[in-house]
Amino acid sequence: MNARNLARAVTHLPPRELIGRVVRRAAQRLDTAALGFPLLPGDVADSADPSLPRRGAPARRTTETAPRVGWLVVPPGAGSGGHTTLFRMMAAAHTRGMRNTLLFYDRWDGDVAAQAATVRRAWPWLTCDIARVGEDLGDFDAIVASSWQTAHVAARRRVPGQAVLYFAQDFEPYFSARGSEYAYAEDSYRLGLTIVALGRMVADTVRAEVGVDVHEVPFGCDTDTYRLTDGAVTHRRGVLFYAKPGNERRGYRLAVDALRRFHAARPDEPIHVYGDATRLPFPVVSHGSLTPERLNLLYNQVVTGLALSFTNISLVAEEMLAAGVVPVVNDSPLARADLRHPDVLWARPTAIALAEALQSAVDRGDRDAHARAVAAAVTTPPWAHTGALFADILTAEIGVPAAVTA
């Protein structure tokens, strides 16, 4: 922008628009997309590369020592649902007698001690060692990647003949616009890793979009935590919203618009928000970050809530149902593939349709009795079932004698 154009912009543009234009221009010049790319250049794998280490026939282990498994992750923040699910698989492997090490891959070289402290604090039940990922992964009998980025790292740093699994909880190309990052994510399924897909949607989409077969394990639900409480309120009121403004696939902006319309139509119904909510254009009861136990207490107070996800189904929907909450979910074949409960309110992903679904839930005259019926109709198995199936696949890939994992 030359001096003359800058002067004209300053004169004629509102301050917010002027700032927006300057920021966008600066972002273009700095190539902020490249700054945010989650892999180091040397860790980008290519499925067409003939030199990429590949897995041959499983090596049958004869040693009686515990199998060593490295679980490759991007360092989590407290409350990360994807990490929680992966850690449940780690717990299942630990039950089978495996020695787990959580391996952090951080392309920005963060403080490993601080990242490990977050894990210890947020998931105190997880038994494992924690370390930064090394330049090769030869110290482990098996590696489990947990995202498209870590699948690339595992493919590049594995040792020949090593068992490497990829626990796919979503079809991660959908996280990005069609382009380079989409292509890298899509190629992660072609890198020769054993893919274990969580749920039917991921399994079917990988098969259809990429042409690669996968193992499939079902979703679970933590019904020990999310349930009707003994002291559950007898008069449920209001709605619940899990706010993740930086995660586009969770539909934050659409949810805010829907809740604004809901409040205008039903102003006496409280709107409870937890997560990362910023200032909202309607009154809310803000709860911030909640432990699972405190979240369940909140579930037991409300009638309904938004459970939006534009790729795989959100785990929030099953949690709500187990506690008697009616989830309002954006209707799509992707979401319906793994969420079968009869009381889900499916709505077109528009603000008006979502708001009307919320209204229909709070307008029920039997909302308390209905909550009990909703919870009773949950048939999703516990996560221990999913973990046991995952551990079966992992032990088969490693070639572990039955005596070692008993």
Side-chain angles (χ1 to χ4, degrees):
M1 182 181 290
N2 59 35
R4 178 177 297 177
N5 288 338
L6 178 60
R8 184 179 297 123
V10 171
T11 302
H12 297 289
L13 290 179
R16 179 173 292 186
E17 185 175 347
L18 174 61
I19 293 170
R21 289 193 181 192
V22 172
V23 170
R24 285 194 297 271
R25 182 63 173 167
Q28 291 170 355
R29 288 184 176 275
L30 290 172
D31 191 6
T32 54
L35 294 175
F37 187 66
L39 284 170
L40 295 168
D43 287 321
V44 178
D46 188 325
S47 62
D49 182 358
S51 68
L52 203 65
R54 300 287 181 175
R55 176 72 191 275
R60 307 309 300 182
R61 295 178 84 259
T62 58
T63 176
E64 294 299 313
T65 60
R68 299 159 301 170
V69 184
W71 302 74
L72 191 51
V73 301
V74 175
S80 168
H83 286 86
T84 299
T85 302
L86 179 76
F87 295 165
R88 288 176 172 131
M89 303 305 105
M90 292 178 67
H94 175 73
T95 299
R96 296 287 183 94
M98 300 186 192
R99 180 176 176 179
N100 294 323
T101 300
L102 192 62
L103 298 173
F104 288 151
Y105 177 79
D106 183 359
R107 69 91 84 221
W108 295 282
D109 198 25
D111 183 343
V112 173
Q115 294 163 346
T118 296
V119 171
R120 299 299 190 198
R121 183 176 62 254
W123 294 275
W125 47 267
L126 180 65
T127 302
C128 67
D129 300 319
I130 300 178
R132 188 193 306 273
V133 64
E135 288 303 312
D136 74 60
L137 300 169
D139 291 338
F140 300 96
D141 297 293
I143 296 295
V144 181
S146 59
S147 63
W148 77 261
Q149 303 98 313
T150 57
H152 278 261
V153 175
R156 292 284 292 177
R157 301 191 189 188
R158 74 188 297 180
V159 297
Q162 186 178 48
V164 182
L165 288 72
Y166 175 6
F167 184 46
Q169 300 186 50
D170 215 322
F171 187 69
E172 294 191 8
Y174 288 160
F175 294 2
S176 305
R178 294 272 184 172
S180 300
E181 199 158 310
Y182 187 104
Y184 288 128
E186 188 176 58
D187 205 38
S188 69
Y189 303 111
R190 305 188 187 98
L191 297 175
L193 282 57
T194 299
I195 301 168
V196 183
L198 179 63
R200 184 173 302 173
M201 173 266 168
V202 178
D204 288 350
T205 305
V206 172
R207 293 176 183 126
E209 296 286 332
V210 189
V212 174
D213 201 10
V214 303
H215 297 275
E216 181 183 337
V217 294
F219 274 92
C221 184
D222 183 6
T223 50
D224 289 335
T225 300
Y226 301 107
R227 57 187 177 82
L228 294 180
T229 60
D230 293 336
V233 296
T234 56
H235 300 291
R236 291 176 178 250
R237 296 182 64 242
V239 304
L240 182 69
F241 171 43
Y242 177 36
K244 297 190 73 173
N247 193 330
E248 181 60 26
R249 71 182 184 277
R250 298 306 185 200
Y252 176 81
R253 184 175 300 178
L254 178 60
V256 170
D257 195 10
L259 289 168
R260 179 179 58 82
R261 293 174 180 275
F262 171 80
H263 174 69
R266 301 292 185 274
D268 294 333
E269 294 289 343
I271 298 174
H272 296 267
V273 179
Y274 72 103
D276 302 323
T278 54
R279 183 176 300 177
L280 295 169
F282 42 81
V284 301
V285 182
S286 183
H287 298 268
S289 180
L290 294 173
T291 64
E293 292 74 18
R294 291 183 65 84
L295 177 57
N296 185 61
L297 292 176
L298 180 56
Y299 282 156
N300 274 266
Q301 298 176 33
V302 301
V303 180
T304 185
L306 290 174
L308 305 185
S309 179
F310 287 84
T311 54
N312 206 356
I313 190 66
S314 170
L315 299 182
V316 168
E318 286 281 6
E319 295 171 1
M320 287 181 175
L321 290 163
V325 184
V326 177
V328 172
V329 183
N330 52 297
D331 199 355
S332 79
L334 300 180
R336 285 182 180 265
D338 292 290
L339 185 60
R340 303 299 182 90
H341 195 286
D343 293 298
V344 173
L345 290 179
W346 298 98
R348 184 180 302 172
T350 73
I352 292 175
L354 293 169
E356 289 178 345
L358 293 171
Q359 292 167 42
S360 71
V362 300
D363 287 347
R364 291 187 67 107
D366 62 341
R367 57 173 68 176
D368 302 316
H370 187 238
R372 292 189 288 273
V374 167
V378 171
T379 58
T380 304
W383 282 110
H385 174 68
T386 308
L389 295 174
F390 185 93
D392 287 344
I393 298 167
L394 179 58
T395 55
E397 286 292 308
I398 297 173
V400 179
V404 175
T405 60

